Amino acid sequence: MELLKQRIREVGTVLSNDIIKLDAIMNHMIDPVLTTAMGKEFARLFREDRITKIVTIESSGIPIAFAAAQELGVPMVFARRKKSLNADVTETYSERVPSFTKGLVTDIMVSREFLDTEDRILLIDDFIANGDAARGLIRIIRRSGAYLAGVGIAVEKSFQAGGRTIRESGVRVESLVKIKAMQPGSIQFE
Amino acid sequence: MELLKQRIREVGTVLSNDIIKLDAIMNHMIDPVLTTAMGKEFARLFREDRITKIVTIESSGIPIAFAAAQELGVPMVFARRKKSLNADVTETYSERVPSFTKGLVTDIMVSREFLDTEDRILLIDDFIANGDAARGLIRIIRRSGAYLAGVGIAVEKSFQAGGRTIRESGVRVESLVKIKAMQPGSIQFE
């Protein structure tokens, strides 16, 4: 997706060989025009898959997943990263995953009532690095009995193994852009 | 907003006299049609205010704030609740606030680079109860030198003091629905 590459070139700050800061468009401030275009692109890629629900994980995945949900006309569910007083933990699917950028382990959870064996799920997230969060969500979707139609990722860091290992497990993964290498001052797209 | 009242009547579960669970439309699963309508309503209410940026707080505020940002054609910034390796803490405004539903204290923060003295901010959130999160965000906005044009809230629990005290401080607060009382099995709107 050329528009996303262009915006990454404009605002992306590579902090190290494996961390890029996209706070100005995806992870802290959201550009609604770009995000709506990303949602439309995911909708186009998965239009034939009769998606019934989009699943993402808080927080940066939410705007992109929401834009795709608007376009496909289906609900969006965001997995939560921790418990609040409003969550009934006996009624949730929960998986423990390490977070690449946060440097810690979090529990992600989805209420059982929002995943159904009839569902055809499109999983959307902003980044894929090692793929731990995506694999945790995939385990949750499979435990629910729903069908995973595919995974949509805004930015795949293809020098890390997440996207590849999920594809090798037989899941369709579509990334809007793939970064094959980066270092402070330089980003190389595939 | 009648559509929101209707959906709250359909899916809202009152857990106690002060906690209502709206996981099916706002806090875990998102209805894109309802959320887009809420965004349009906030855009209509603040159309004359020359808003330059929408500010919300992760996670449930994000879809509504994003829908308003789409409609007004301005960026949306979501305050983060904790630090990650990607955040440079010397570059952020940070405020400590208690969370009504989470039962704990969190630090909310916004990067200094995304709030400007020229900005005219619309603050949007899903709920207002005691108003601690909103007041924390308002302190952050004021510290940045930006102008706070107003606050848009999806669901105000008007039997709690948050909305009232912020209005009394001179800030315009627009709530799409106000719940004046509730108990398990019963919700009374203003």
Side-chain angles (χ1 to χ4, degrees), chain A residues 138-158:
Chain A
I138 290 171
R139 288 195 297 273
I140 284 173
I141 292 163
R142 295 223 157 114
R143 285 169 57 197
S144 77
Y147 174 73
L148 176 65
V151 176
I153 300 290
V155 180
E156 176 174 347
K157 293 189 277 186
S158 55

Side-chain angles (χ1 to χ4, degrees), chain A residues 15 19-33 35-36 53 58-60 62-64 66-67 69-70 73-80 82-88 92 100-104 106 109-111 113-114, chain B residues 15 19-33 35-36 53 58-60 62-64 66-67 69-70 73-80 82-88 92 100-104 106 109-111 113-114:
Chain A
L15 298 179
I19 295 187
I20 181 169
K21 190 170 162 178
L22 292 178
D23 279 8
I25 51 171
M26 290 203 332
N27 300 116
H28 192 9
M29 184 159 75
I30 304 298
D31 174 338
V33 174
T35 304
T36 302
K53 211 166 270 170
E58 62 182 354
S59 290
S60 297
I62 294 176
I64 310 168
F66 177 74
Q70 283 179 313
V74 299
M76 180 270 276
V77 174
F78 61 93
R80 310 218 67 144
K82 67 168 83 165
K83 298 179 261 288
S84 82
L85 293 182
N86 277 358
D88 181 343
T92 61
F100 178 71
T101 43
K102 293 203 171 58
L104 40 78
T106 51
M109 52 176 228
V110 177
S111 291
E113 63 182 311
F114 299 134
Chain B
L15 298 179
I19 295 187
I20 181 169
K21 191 170 163 177
L22 292 179
D23 279 7
I25 52 171
M26 288 202 335
N27 301 115
H28 192 8
M29 185 160 75
I30 304 298
D31 174 338
V33 174
T35 304
T36 302
K53 212 166 270 172
E58 62 182 353
S59 288
S60 297
I62 294 176
I64 309 168
F66 176 74
Q70 282 180 313
V74 299
M76 179 270 276
V77 174
F78 61 93
R80 311 219 66 144
K82 67 167 81 163
K83 298 180 260 289
S84 82
L85 293 181
N86 278 358
D88 180 343
T92 60
F100 179 70
T101 43
K102 293 204 173 58
L104 40 79
T106 51
M109 53 177 229
V110 177
S111 290
E113 63 182 311
F114 299 133

